[in-house]
Amino acid sequence: MARPLPFKIAAVSTVLFVVCTNFVFCNNGRRVGDVMETEFSGFSVPLEHSFEVADVAKFRVRGALMLKAGREPSVSLTQSQLSEEDRAKLKEVAAVDGLYRIRVPRVFLQADRQTERQMEGYLTAFVRACAMVESHLSDVISLHTDVSGYVIGVSIVTLPGACRGTEVEDEVDLEVFNTTLSLMAPVNAPGPETALFVEQMEIETEKKGKNPQEQKSFFAKYWYLILGGAIFLMVSNSAQPPAGGGREQS
Amino acid sequence: MAKLIWFGLKCILLCSTVGAVFEDQVGKFDWRQQYIGKVRFSHFDAHVQSSKKVLLATENNVFASINTKTGELFWRHVDMTGPEGNIDALLHHGQDAVLVVGDGRQLRSWDINIGGLNWEIVLDSGSFQAACLVGYQDTVKHVAVLKKTVISLHYLSNGHQKWIENLPESETVDFQAVYSGGNGEVYVLGVVPHSHITIVAYSLEDGEIIKQISVEAPWLSNIQASCVVIGRGMLTCVDSAAVSLYTLDLHVQSQMTQISLQSLELEATPGFQPVLVSTQPNPALPPLSEFFLQLGPEHHLLLQLNSGQIVTLRDFKPAMLVAFASPGEKTVAAVMSPKNKTACSLNLFSAESGRRLLDTTLIFNLDPYGGKPEKLHVQAFLKKDDAVGYRVMVQSEDHTLTFIQQPGRVMWTREEALSDVVTMEMVDLPLTGTQAELEGEFGKKADGLLSMLLKRLSSQLILLQASIAHLWKLFYDARKPRSLVKNDVTIENLSRDEFNLQKMMVMVTASGKLFGIDSKTGTILWRHYLDNIPSHAAFKLMVQRTTAHFPHPPQCTLLIKDKDTGLATLHVFNPIFGKKSQVTPPALLQPMLQSLMLPVMDQDYAKVLLLVDDQYKVSAFPSTKNVLQQLQEMASSIFFYIVDSDQGKLSGYRLQTDLSTELIWEIVMPTEVQRIVSVKGKRPNEHVHSQGRVMGDRSVLYKYLNPNLLAVVTESTDLHPERSFIGILLIDGVTGRIIHEAVQRKTKGPVHIVHSENWVVYEYWSTKSRRNEFSVIELYEGMELYNSTVFSSLDRPHAPQVLQQSYIFPSSISTMEATLTEKGITSRHLLIGLPSGGILSLPKMFLDPRRPEIMTEQSREENLIPYAPELLIRSEWFINYNQTVSRVRGIYTAPSGLESTCLVVAYGLDIYQTRVYPSKQFDVLKDDYDYMLISSVLFALFFATMISKRLAEVKLLNRAWR
């Protein structure tokens, strides 16, 4: 019963995807859906979104992510405006508290060859559609990479993030995306900070070293203890009859 | 050094939260139970007549001696875990016990009286096959160890090697057994499967091969499974395919003689592999010519080999278990046969004749909540009148050891299943009858004024009755001497104490046996064996209904999942009495992916358990109409996540109204770089009292308290010390947003992690510095809260501030957990189980990323400890003083009714229960609190005020008159 359904959805969405890619054009005039080699050794992948009243994801292209590989990877985004139809739909979805989802294909930033860059599967994230509407399409998208340059996750939040139920009257507010995009690499977690601690200790000892009281020699400091010990030893030696020694000799 | 001491002193001054135990408090609030595990080998010490020792070697690599009178440990040696410490063989002779350990790597001899090591030698490598004691002319002086390619002979007295010889043709022949009959020769038996047997006889003196023979045996594949040596060197094998016995005289080269079972008028149970059992009471003498043949699960025969002929001495049917024992010169056989459904009877038979010995019947009552008997260990002895007496240790499927003496008195039982606790929960005890009655009165619906009045009157009457009974008991007890007053905990008189310090520990063990243990005394109050547990099972124990909903009984659910197939079953039971619940759990036909407990309750106050199968369909338990309706209403706010570590995938789902699910987020970590090793959420019953931290300048730094936060630990697949790393990801479980992502380079696992409040603490091995390190991550919202009334993962656009600091820890650790208290006011400690057996209570204060490197006025104001790279282990931090807990695998913490007190259970090979007071007992009066003084002062003050008032009045009056 449940099995054949996703297949149908997949088929429908791929059909739609193909249809849409034919209509959407990017600023540079190229087709967005394709991965392409650009002049600055970067490449681009589609950023797709989906908002449906009947919570079944149908992803369409929202824009193109231009990824620049290399030592310092960077990312930029070109995206088109929302159409009249989409705006109405987004408001409709927001009214029923639906989800606004985005997805990007899995990519590997450090690969040299084109074929290695894109991998099977997608990374998806979502935000409530009402938050998208109420923030006037101001969203913050971040792509997270792992140590070796694979993009492992995408996240989206809107600013402001709350759904207060305020009506967005002006259609113009929902036309242009106001997106802040970032590429986040993992931070290096700090190890135990020994160097500074040792330095501090050295400063402390130096301070002590300057103090003349501390510069006394071992004997100068503990002469009374040593003297006391010596006297005690002498006394105990002379007082004790050599019982143990006697047995040893015999 | 002086600096360090000074620093240590300062630390103590700064945080005087040290909670050591006074000498008179030892054992007052804590207890420990020591276990050994499932028994593999056992030997009763028959060396001294009145010996009360049994030597046990177990599958948990433990070698122990147990007092047969009480069941307590005399001594115990815990070896390494895993194959290195595996006990391959236990041989016992006189005062010595010889152990082969670690697949034949070590040979050890122990003195059984004191448990001291006599000697230990390291053997050459090679996989272990068999070992036996070798005797000659009535004395046993050697031990032979057979390995895959060599045989070596060692002196029993010092372990020195007498000789070592390579086995001939060891590349083709699989040598499996070694035998010595006391005639100065050592026989090694090998087999080429489905071809022939090879027998090599070595001289005891110099290891010279005396002879080597091959005998055709195309039906034989394994000597150890189907052959024994009987009588004067007669190798006897059983072949289930041809339904016959084969005999071969080792001393004379000949053919194998086939004796079909039919000619003996015997019949084997179809599909059962017959088993032979022989006995060799003295290694210096050949084995007895009597032996057991098991033909079916409940069919045994005592046979005798008499000059080449096999004679049936006695047919035991039904007989589940048999065992030989040799008190003195005689040998007897103990046979266990079923008596009725609830009991078995044991009898002794003379091995020579098969006659039943008089007055040797012993009744063994089967535990209805236990497993079936699996093995018999018989201790037989000669009484004064030369009659044979015996005691039996019965080992059951659930690893229980029961020691019985005639006529059926159970001397002790040891629940060895508790050596392998997998998971546990602590459940509040129910209220007493009277308390429950009162509660019930408020709980029920009002149905008229008069009935309410009657109800109230009746409950008051019951209360009065109870208090009189209590007073009477007090009076009665007071007359008796102190020692006679027993406070035995039984299941009947269980009730919650004032501060809820006594709880029921529900423990789930790997063998599938469940236990209910009283946390105050450690008494096992109930046990329940589940006999259909798959061998690779994962357990998850959940409390669906607590004891707070009288008259509904408390309810626990155990999810048992077969790791191989993914199929799961549910066991629903009452955690106080251990009884299986009347509620029938749903049958789960699909493999399970995830289970989650919702805070939603049905009309009977049972929390709803959601189960997600591999079709991403959700089923609810209980699934009443009420529950389904509630689920439909709040479906859009129920989110869950699934981790697939094989594909490195974390995915989030949302529930839909028709109980299907939709995928809403997905994170994929390439498995060629790193793999997910653990995912830790927060504990649902955790409370955080303060929302923020007050800074030195009196401003507040607010904590980022996201209840949906997950800490994901990954380990790199590249294990090179320069390139290996561990990764820590903090992910919001609802939105899939990666809150923080960090890598700790040049480190490797195993990683131990604790995730609580707004912090994550983890421990790892640094490959660069070769040491254990701790790291702490704390999350803060900043100086102002985004939304102070409620936390929603869907509406937190700003990422939190992340602070992190690391420290050196001087020891490796076994497990880690944080303390938990009722309201979260008490400061937190980390409880760290060390491999040495100590449990360390480390104040969280020391793991604080805000510890300043350079002290300023403000940080001093905040009471921060200056940063030091090393965390010291202070001996007063050990909460289990000298009560070592071997092989700690888990620590469980539970809040008590007192805010200051947290209950702790550490489990592993041993179980240890105690209480900790992370901020000292601020809400409890001390034991030696002087009530007399304070009350007399109060009274004195009271009278003083009265008198002075009177005096003042008089004075005023006088002044007025003047």
Side-chain angles (χ1 to χ4, degrees), chain A residues 162-234:
Chain A
C163 277
R164 296 209 168 72
T166 45
E167 275 291 312
V168 179
E169 292 298 331
D170 205 348
E171 285 280 313
V172 186
D173 284 341
L174 290 182
E175 245 172 33
V176 189
F177 285 104
N178 173 19
T179 307
T180 317
L181 189 68
S182 57
L183 189 68
M184 316 262 263
V187 294
N188 276 330
E193 197 62 62
T194 39
L196 200 83
F197 185 74
V198 171
E199 214 172 276
Q200 286 263 315
M201 284 234 306
E202 269 165 16
I203 293 169
E204 291 272 329
T205 43
E206 248 172 59
K207 263 187 203 163
K208 277 206 186 119
K210 276 173 196 160
N211 197 344
Q213 250 192 335
E214 298 287 322
Q215 269 182 328
K216 280 181 189 171
S217 71
F218 180 77
F219 283 101
K221 256 199 266 182
Y222 301 113
W223 63 269
Y224 48 91
L225 281 180
I226 294 160
L227 190 71
I231 290 169
F232 177 75
L233 275 176
M234 265 153 64

Side-chain angles (χ1 to χ4, degrees), chain B residues 905-959:
Chain B
V905 182
Y907 53 87
L909 189 62
D910 302 341
I911 297 174
Y912 180 73
Q913 191 277 145
T914 190
R915 303 171 189 171
V916 289
Y917 319 100
S919 299
K920 285 192 171 178
Q921 289 181 285
F922 59 82
D923 51 2
V924 179
L925 290 179
K926 280 203 189 91
D927 278 352
D928 53 356
Y929 185 77
D930 203 340
Y931 292 94
M932 280 305 286
L933 183 75
I934 198 91
S935 46
S936 54
V937 165
L938 267 178
F939 274 112
L941 279 173
F942 178 72
F943 284 116
T945 33
M946 291 296 280
I947 292 161
S948 56
K949 196 179 167 191
R950 177 80 196 137
L951 288 175
E953 269 173 13
V954 168
K955 197 177 175 188
L956 269 177
L957 195 67
N958 286 343
R959 194 185 288 162

Side-chain angles (χ1 to χ4, degrees), chain B residues 879-897:
Chain B
I879 58 170
N880 58 340
Y881 46 106
N882 64 353
Q883 307 276 311
T884 311
V885 190
S886 292
R887 292 197 199 143
V888 193
R889 262 198 322 276
I891 295 175
Y892 178 87
T893 52
S896 72

Side-chain angles (χ1 to χ4, degrees), chain B residues 684-736:
Chain B
N685 58 345
E686 171 185 287
H687 293 275
V688 182
H689 184 255
S690 77
Q691 289 276 311
R693 284 177 66 162
V694 182
M695 314 284 286
D697 58 358
R698 295 284 172 264
S699 61
V700 178
L701 184 63
Y702 286 100
K703 295 175 184 170
Y704 179 77
L705 297 166
N706 183 349
N708 309 315
L709 197 68
L710 303 174
V712 180
V713 181
T714 62
E715 278 178 30
S716 63
T717 42
D718 189 350
L719 292 175
H720 188 271
E722 281 296 307
R723 292 186 296 271
S724 70
F725 65 90
I726 59 164
I728 301 288
L729 281 103
L730 302 179
I731 295 173
D732 188 303
V734 170
T735 61

Side-chain angles (χ1 to χ4, degrees), chain B residues 485-675:
Chain B
V485 185
K486 268 197 204 157
N487 273 323
D488 270 347
V489 186
T490 57
I491 212 145
E492 282 78 31
N493 64 18
L494 270 186
S495 65
R496 199 180 300 178
D497 58 341
E498 320 166 73
F499 298 126
N500 201 2
L501 289 164
Q502 188 179 6
K503 294 196 179 201
M504 178 65 87
M505 291 159 54
V506 180
M507 297 192 125
V508 181
T509 62
S511 65
K513 197 167 189 182
L514 313 183
F515 291 90
I517 299 174
D518 169 40
S519 75
K520 199 173 183 180
T521 58
T523 322
I524 297 172
L525 295 173
W526 58 263
R527 57 205 96 195
H528 188 103
Y529 179 60
L530 307 170
D531 47 7
N532 48 358
I533 301 294
S535 51
H536 280 92
F539 297 90
K540 188 174 176 185
L541 182 64
M542 290 157 285
V543 183
Q544 277 201 293
R545 193 193 294 130
T546 60
T547 26
H549 306 287
F550 188 80
H552 299 290
Q555 183 179 322
C556 273
T557 302
L558 178 68
L559 181 78
I560 307 147
K561 181 177 159 182
D562 189 338
K563 276 185 194 161
D564 302 328
T565 61
L567 288 172
T569 48
L570 290 175
H571 173 69
V572 187
F573 63 99
N574 180 329
I576 303 299
F577 302 108
K579 292 201 184 78
K580 199 172 173 184
S581 169
Q582 304 292 329
V583 188
T584 43
L588 310 170
L589 303 171
Q590 296 285 340
M592 280 293 124
L593 285 183
Q594 176 72 293
S595 67
L596 62 156
M597 193 73 114
L598 295 183
V600 183
M601 287 189 197
D602 73 345
Q603 69 270 41
D604 292 340
Y605 307 101
K607 281 185 190 163
V608 176
L609 175 69
L610 286 189
L611 299 156
V612 186
D613 64 20
D614 66 342
Q615 304 291 316
Y616 299 99
K617 276 277 180 194
V618 175
S619 51
F621 168 67
S623 58
T624 55
K625 213 174 214 173
N626 177 308
V627 170
L628 292 179
Q629 197 185 340
Q630 284 189 63
L631 280 181
Q632 252 173 27
E633 277 165 20
M634 54 189 305
S636 63
S637 59
I638 296 174
F639 298 85
F640 60 91
Y641 67 92
I642 288 172
V643 184
D644 182 352
S645 56
D646 294 332
Q647 294 179 34
K649 201 184 269 186
L650 284 150
S651 30
Y653 292 83
R654 183 164 81 154
L655 194 67
Q656 286 185 325
T657 46
D658 60 343
L659 290 190
S660 63
T661 57
E662 55 170 337
L663 179 77
I664 49 172
W665 57 264
E666 208 166 8
I667 290 170
V668 189
M669 282 178 243
T671 46
E672 55 264 36
V673 181
Q674 52 190 341
R675 59 192 170 84

Side-chain angles (χ1 to χ4, degrees), chain B residues 161-173:
Chain B
Q161 185 176 294
K162 184 167 184 180
W163 49 259
I164 182 162
E165 292 297 326
N166 282 320
L167 295 167
E169 301 163 39
S170 60
E171 54 274 12
T172 52
V173 184

Side-chain angles (χ1 to χ4, degrees), chain B residues 73-354:
Chain B
L73 289 173
F74 276 126
W75 46 260
R76 183 181 74 168
H77 294 289
V78 182
D79 212 324
M80 278 184 284
T81 49
E84 296 101 333
N86 190 40
I87 298 172
D88 301 316
L90 165 63
L91 305 167
H92 172 214
H93 182 255
Q95 291 265 29
D96 304 328
V98 177
L99 250 68
V100 184
V101 178
D103 199 17
R105 200 77 191 105
Q106 270 141 351
L107 192 66
R108 287 189 194 133
S109 168
W110 301 92
D111 183 294
I112 61 167
N113 286 328
I114 53 165
L117 184 68
N118 291 331
W119 48 261
E120 175 190 66
I121 56 157
V122 179
L123 301 177
D124 293 337
S125 59
S127 83
F128 172 78
Q129 294 292 328
C132 81
L133 293 170
V134 181
Y136 185 54
Q137 291 172 342
D138 288 347
T139 52
V140 182
K141 281 184 180 162
H142 303 103
V143 57
V145 178
L146 177 70
K147 295 218 180 178
K148 198 98 196 158
T149 54
V150 290
I151 177 168
S152 56
L153 202 75
H154 301 265
Y155 290 101
L156 258 185
S157 53
N158 52 16
H160 290 174
Q161 185 176 294
K162 184 167 184 180
W163 49 259
I164 182 162
E165 292 297 326
N166 282 320
L167 295 167
E169 301 163 39
S170 60
E171 54 274 12
T172 52
V173 184
D174 187 9
F175 287 97
Q176 290 175 332
V178 59
Y179 155 77
S180 160
N183 56 355
E185 288 170 14
V186 180
Y187 291 89
V188 177
L189 313 175
V191 64
V192 177
H194 308 294
S195 171
H196 61 270
I197 300 178
T198 302
I199 297 153
V200 188
Y202 288 92
S203 157
L204 176 63
E205 277 309 309
D206 48 7
E208 196 183 323
I209 295 180
I210 296 171
K211 64 182 169 194
Q212 182 179 352
I213 52 176
S214 292
V215 181
E216 287 287 304
W219 42 269
L220 186 68
S221 61
N222 191 336
I223 292 185
Q224 271 166 335
S226 45
C227 296
V228 289
V229 180
I230 292 159
R232 299 204 167 272
M234 289 292 273
L235 181 70
T236 310
C237 299
V238 62
D239 175 27
S240 59
V243 204
S244 39
L245 293 171
Y246 290 87
T247 56
L248 171 72
D249 196 331
L250 294 177
H251 305 293
V252 191
Q253 180 171 14
S254 61
Q255 289 290 312
M256 284 203 121
T257 326
Q258 183 177 8
I259 305 166
S260 83
L261 287 178
Q262 239 166 4
S263 68
L264 297 168
E265 292 167 14
L266 299 174
E267 216 175 314
T269 312
F272 184 83
Q273 167 76 35
V275 182
L276 290 167
V277 183
S278 71
T279 179
Q280 186 176 11
N282 188 347
L285 293 173
L288 295 189
S289 52
E290 289 81 19
F291 61 100
F292 271 111
L293 170 65
Q294 188 182 8
L295 287 175
E298 293 205 345
H299 188 197
H300 287 83
L301 287 153
L302 183 62
L303 303 176
Q304 189 180 40
L305 186 76
N306 204 338
S307 56
Q309 295 295 309
I310 287 175
V311 189
T312 307
L313 288 178
R314 199 173 179 124
D315 188 350
F316 297 104
K317 193 176 185 181
M320 300 125 79
L321 299 170
V322 293
F324 282 112
S326 308
E329 300 294 300
K330 291 183 213 167
T331 297
V332 290
V335 178
M336 182 189 251
S337 44
K339 192 166 182 247
N340 52 38
K341 280 225 167 91
T342 58
C344 293
S345 68
L346 275 147
N347 280 296
L348 276 196
F349 296 86
S350 160
E352 281 149 49
S353 59

